[in-house]
Amino acid sequence: MSDEADLLAGHGPIETGRGLVSSAVSFSLALLSVLGVLAFRFPAWLSTPELRARYDVTTLRYVLFAAMVIAGALAIRNLLLGRYRKLATAAFGWVVLAQVLGGPAVKVGDLPEHSPYIGLDFFVLDLLGSSLIFIFIEKLRPLRKEQPIFRPEWQTDLVHFLVNHLVVGLTLLLTNRVVHSLGWFGNESVRARLVTLPFLVSLFLVFLCADLVQYWAHRAYHEVSWLWRFHAVHHSARDMDWLAGSRQSLFELIGTRIAVMTPIFLLGFPREVIDAYIIMVGFQAVFDHANVSAGLGPLKYVFVTPNFHHWHHSRDTEAIDKNYAAHFAFLDYLFGTAAKADRPWPDRYGVVGDYVPRGFVKQQLFPFLGSTADQEAQQGDHHTAAGKKKE
Ligand SMILES: [Zn+2]
Ligand SMILES: [Zn+2]
């Protein structure tokens, strides 16, 4: 098998010890370096305005420098050892290109206000940060020790991760527009009272407000059949880890974001509370999918944990249509949808019947085109007998 096919097209776990992991790291860092240099050169188009305001450019230059050195060193090492020469050559080529485009000393481009943009910088920084933090946590307290970092279908979920990040700017824009068009609806006296609340109380209320919307939206995604077709994409992951949560239909990603953020904006919570909420949600959303054995003792009845959300993703019988909450587990106890099982962790994940196709494009088209269960069955890559949505 060729280098590229091995790395990009394969849907199996990657064998270690052959230099493929270091090739993948080297290639990814080299490619991210080029994207980073481009974001430096064309910040108006390729950087996210909310992030841009907070950058420490000097630190980012050091990060870029480190990424290029590591990518280059690993590429040279693999070339010398004769391992994955094509990948190593390509990685080295990307490092050279990053340097030609300006490298760590690249001049920051012009920055006109209010231009349309795609959040390339958000993707680059979040991929680097998330993979470092969450892979560390997963190695520190693994739930399924035998599961490799590059588990089956990681490529598909990485594409979801990329596209989600690129459309986040669009989503925020849409939410702002929707809220703006409803702006008259906001209640000044509610707003005035919220501003006087202590930060933590306010933060709790944002989480509660978000989770009440999120709970019922999520429940609708499961219980209304045409909505389930969209949400099934998120449930189609058969291995859980930090990257698996990225798998989502864009319709759901954008729709849910608007539904959750609209009341928060309308009620008029203070800006710093909303910012804190967005950062914490970003962490929790990834953490709850991670391959990590985290229990919170009795607090598990209050907060959503990886254990709670892993049960939501299970296709074990007692887990079907349970554990909808995203932040507060008590909502499911309150509304009678908490999963009850005789063992701490579920056995299997995914959709009963396993009919959601593999691959990013097919998964985005799936809700509109219908099931491809027959094709999948023919490919022989399925885990269960064909079934309906749930059994
Ligand atoms: Zn769900
Ligand atoms: Zn999930």
Side-chain angles (χ1 to χ4, degrees), residues 107-123:
K107 187 173 164 291
V108 178
D110 296 333
L111 201 54
E113 285 298 307
H114 305 302
S115 50
Y117 67 94
I118 49 173
L120 189 63
D121 56 343
F122 181 35
F123 164 69

Side-chain angles (χ1 to χ4, degrees), residues 218 222 228 231 234-235 312 324:
H218 192 180
H222 277 253
W228 166 254
H231 189 56
H234 181 61
H235 279 270
H312 178 67
Y324 291 121

Side-chain angles (χ1 to χ4, degrees), residues 202-258:
S202 208
L203 189 63
F204 168 75
L205 288 177
V206 172
F207 269 95
L208 188 62
C209 171
D211 215 14
L212 280 169
V213 176
Q214 144 78 40
Y215 174 92
W216 288 105
H218 192 180
R219 197 162 164 176
Y221 271 116
H222 277 253
E223 295 179 3
V224 179
S225 61
W226 70 271
L227 281 175
W228 166 254
R229 304 185 63 77
F230 289 91
H231 189 56
V233 172
H234 181 61
H235 279 270
S236 67
R238 289 166 303 166
D239 294 289
M240 291 287 278
D241 65 4
W242 68 279
L243 198 53
S246 299
R247 186 182 297 199
Q248 235 181 89
S249 152
L250 286 173
F251 172 92
E252 186 190 339
L253 176 80
I254 296 172
T256 307
R257 198 63 79 92
I258 292 174

Side-chain angles (χ1 to χ4, degrees), residues 328-388:
F328 296 119
F330 65 75
L331 290 180
D332 278 284
Y333 290 98
L334 200 65
F335 297 129
T337 46
K340 294 178 191 71
D342 57 3
R343 57 201 179 287
W345 292 89
D347 299 326
R348 297 165 310 161
Y349 304 110
V351 172
V352 177
D354 208 17
Y355 45 79
V356 179
R358 314 274 183 270
F360 176 82
V361 175
K362 281 186 185 173
Q363 288 174 355
Q364 292 299 343
L365 293 176
F366 170 73
F368 304 99
L369 297 183
S371 169
T372 57
D374 296 343
Q375 299 165 23
E376 293 298 318
Q378 280 167 14
Q379 287 169 12
D381 187 20
H382 61 115
H383 287 203
T384 60
K388 278 182 67 66

